[in-house]
Amino acid sequence: MNHNGSRVLEILKANLGKTISGETISSVLEISRSAVWKQVKALREKGYRISARSRSGYCLEEEPELLDQNALAEMAIIYRESVESTNLVAHRLAEEGAPGFTTIIAERQLSGRGRLGRSWFSPAGSGLWFSVIFRPTALTPAAARPVTLVTAAVLADYLSGTFKLPVQIKWPNDLQVGGKKIAGILTEVKGDLDRIDYLIIGIGLNVNQKTEDLSTEIATVATSLAMETGIKIKRTELLINLRHALIRAYKLFEEEGFTSFRQIWIKNNITLGQQVNISWPGGSLTGLATELTNDGQLAIKDDYGQIRLVSYGEVS
Ligand code: BT5
């Protein structure tokens, strides 16, 4: 943050919850009103919740809950204030030789990625946008496939237990509460058909967003932990705990396979037993989702009573 930025912030903090005019700030700091506005915009991008009213002025509504860089450094988690996508940074680090379980978190992503070229909204000050590098040594690409389901199972189990929320998995990688998306997973792989070089597991979890923070595109389909629990959550602590749970899970998955996670996935899912339509680039299928196989495929009983296995796609 530049000098003017920290001075504007200082004044807003000293007046927490109160509106102070742009004119006052500008005369105290001896900078122009447009310079004040510029700093306010920059602070907002960092995650400070500052309201602006055209006649009366600016108000820092509450102390922001920003990621604690020192605590993250102590846990060897790589922090960036703003990146295009943590998955992209993770790819770069992995190419440079970063060890397995290297984790990168950003306060904000400028072009957060979903699957199939979709985008992931990642504003500052509200979510956990992070990626973990996983370097399995004993897994073939085929055997590693369920890693996204393992991630979903661990997240659902951890979040339901910790926040007493019905966090449910929609096959394969959506986490929802009450039918609204709270988290998504994007797994990317580098390797060839026989061998994995590394996997990047990217997780986006909405934490402290309020209803008014959700951009219009996702306002009706998304939710956050704070919206569901009514409490403001310490993201740094949540990240450290989640990462711990995930790393333990990846080690176990590599040693023992998908079986124990399959049970957890099944316990927390909303897809099995439903009539579903699954689509993927180039095809689609309608039927009853009857089972999750040992290797993470979804078994669909189609209208002719035939069982078909699907390992990738979109459920509706
Ligand atoms: C996903 O894709 O759900 C995977 C999202 C992974 C995001 C993480 S953040 C850290 C890492 N770095 C990245 O660049 N990405 C990963 P998909 O199933 O394709 O869902 C995308 C759809 O979810 C969008 O088209 C929107 O409808 C919706 N969406 C976008 N942002 C959202 C948000 N913040 N909360 C809820 N839904 C959202």
Side-chain angles (χ1 to χ4, degrees):
M1 194 181 307
N2 69 21
H3 184 55
N4 281 345
S6 21
R7 288 163 79 214
V8 170
L9 180 59
E10 213 173 283
I11 295 183
L12 290 171
K13 273 191 173 170
N15 292 279
L16 187 71
K18 287 184 246 156
T19 301
I20 174 159
S21 75
E23 205 168 355
T24 308
I25 302 177
S26 116
S27 67
V28 171
L29 298 182
E30 297 180 322
I31 58 177
S32 70
R33 290 188 61 175
S34 70
V36 173
W37 172 229
K38 202 173 126 200
Q39 297 308 331
V40 166
K41 276 197 292 191
L43 287 167
R44 278 180 173 173
E45 284 175 359
K46 287 184 191 301
Y48 290 89
R49 208 181 283 274
I50 301 169
S51 57
R53 294 181 197 93
S54 56
R55 301 229 164 260
S56 44
Y58 304 110
C59 170
L60 176 62
E61 300 194 345
E62 55 186 303
E63 279 289 347
E65 194 284 312
L66 296 179
L67 290 165
D68 179 341
Q69 296 179 47
N70 294 332
L72 293 171
E74 261 171 43
M75 300 307 294
I77 296 173
I78 300 169
Y79 165 89
R80 295 277 186 279
E81 185 179 303
S82 173
V83 297
E84 295 293 310
S85 149
T86 56
N87 267 31
L88 276 179
V89 178
H91 273 291
R92 212 166 53 232
L93 294 171
E95 292 294 341
E96 289 166 2
F101 308 129
T102 297
T103 304
I104 153 122
I105 173 103
E107 185 65 84
R108 171 164 82 124
Q109 296 187 117
L110 300 173
S111 43
R113 310 202 290 203
R115 297 180 302 151
L116 302 169
R118 288 186 287 246
S119 52
W120 184 259
F121 292 96
S122 322
S126 56
L128 286 179
W129 329 124
F130 67 107
S131 304
V132 181
I133 298 173
F134 181 30
R135 290 191 185 273
T137 48
L139 290 178
T140 61
R145 265 208 101 86
V147 74
T148 307
L149 302 176
V150 170
T151 306
V154 170
L155 289 175
D157 191 52
Y158 183 87
L159 297 173
S160 328
T162 307
F163 298 104
K164 306 281 171 285
L165 278 180
V167 178
Q168 292 169 315
I169 307 167
K170 185 177 134 197
W171 187 87
N173 74 329
D174 274 12
L175 291 174
Q176 303 188 331
V177 178
K180 292 184 169 180
K181 188 155 169 171
I182 197 158
I185 303 161
L186 173 67
T187 306
E188 295 176 304
V189 60
K190 170 82 194 303
D192 54 40
L193 285 173
D194 309 315
R195 205 186 112 261
I196 295 173
D197 196 358
Y198 59 79
L199 292 160
I200 304 289
I201 300 156
I203 296 168
L205 169 64
N206 297 331
V207 184
N208 282 330
Q209 287 99 327
K210 297 177 173 173
T211 315
E212 63 269 24
D213 299 329
L214 297 178
S215 62
T216 43
E217 289 96 324
I218 58 166
T220 55
V221 294
T223 189
S224 73
L225 287 174
M227 282 161 68
E228 297 299 329
T229 59
I231 53 170
K232 191 155 148 186
I233 290 150
K234 294 197 179 99
R235 283 178 301 149
T236 308
E237 190 181 311
L238 176 58
L239 171 69
I240 290 169
N241 293 339
L242 272 179
R243 174 179 185 260
H244 185 70
L246 288 166
I247 290 176
R248 223 175 40 195
Y250 297 146
K251 288 182 178 161
L252 198 66
F253 168 59
E254 195 174 5
E255 282 162 20
E256 295 177 10
F258 182 53
T259 315
S260 56
F261 298 103
R262 178 173 170 266
Q263 294 310 326
I264 303 173
W265 191 97
I266 289 172
K267 184 175 146 234
N268 291 288
N269 97 95
I270 44 163
T271 302
L272 294 181
Q274 301 277 335
Q275 194 69 25
V276 293
N277 179 271
I278 303 201
S279 56
W280 55 91
S284 74
L285 176 63
T286 303
L288 181 69
T290 55
E291 204 200 330
L292 185 76
T293 65
N294 280 327
D295 57 355
Q297 298 190 84
L298 194 62
I300 306 286
K301 191 174 183 180
D302 71 15
D303 296 346
Y304 307 101
Q306 286 225 315
I307 300 288
R308 298 178 53 186
L309 297 180
V310 202
S311 55
Y312 188 79
E314 211 72 44
V315 173
S316 59

